[in-house]
Amino acid sequence: MTLLIGAWLQRRKGPRPWTANLPRVVLVALLAVGAATAAGLVGWFASQWLPAHTGVPDTPWLTRLRLDLPISAALAASVVSWRWHGARRAQPRQP
């Protein structure tokens, strides 16, 4: 999730105007909620699909994916976007 967000923010054509113009806290909150939602869906799907379709038994760590993945994705997205926005503001504007 962090790799996707970092690559999306640091694309070659430059940042999207709305990401650079939003206040840092708003950008971090939006990306953290989006990452947590996506990771929550992946965790929910994995915890349901893996035991039913593979040889992986239904274990406690598998059910914790529903909680652990969204929390870690939100933290990672927050750190990446906070640092990206701060580094973006520190760079001088080019003509």
Side-chain angles (χ1 to χ4, degrees), residues 9-54:
L9 286 172
Q10 197 68 17
R11 63 184 204 152
R12 289 182 187 228
K13 297 178 185 177
R16 290 165 175 76
W18 68 270
T19 58
N21 294 335
L22 276 177
R24 183 186 278 190
V25 174
V26 174
L27 178 67
V28 169
L30 285 174
L31 291 178
V33 168
T37 303
L41 290 173
V42 169
W44 175 79
F45 177 76
S47 68
Q48 298 296 317
W49 188 83
L50 282 174
H53 294 78
T54 63

Side-chain angles (χ1 to χ4, degrees), residues 11-94:
R11 63 184 204 152
R12 289 182 187 228
K13 297 178 185 177
R16 290 165 175 76
W18 68 270
T19 58
N21 294 335
L22 276 177
R24 183 186 278 190
V25 174
V26 174
L27 178 67
V28 169
L30 285 174
L31 291 178
V33 168
T37 303
L41 290 173
V42 169
W44 175 79
F45 177 76
S47 68
Q48 298 296 317
W49 188 83
L50 282 174
H53 294 78
T54 63
V56 176
D58 193 14
T59 58
W61 69 267
L62 197 54
T63 57
R64 287 190 49 98
L65 283 178
R66 295 180 203 169
L67 181 64
D68 291 345
L69 283 180
I71 290 173
S72 63
L75 286 172
S78 299
V79 169
V80 167
S81 57
W82 187 271
R83 290 185 58 123
W84 176 83
H85 199 278
R88 189 83 192 140
R89 293 281 185 212
Q91 293 175 354
R93 294 191 180 205
Q94 298 185 11

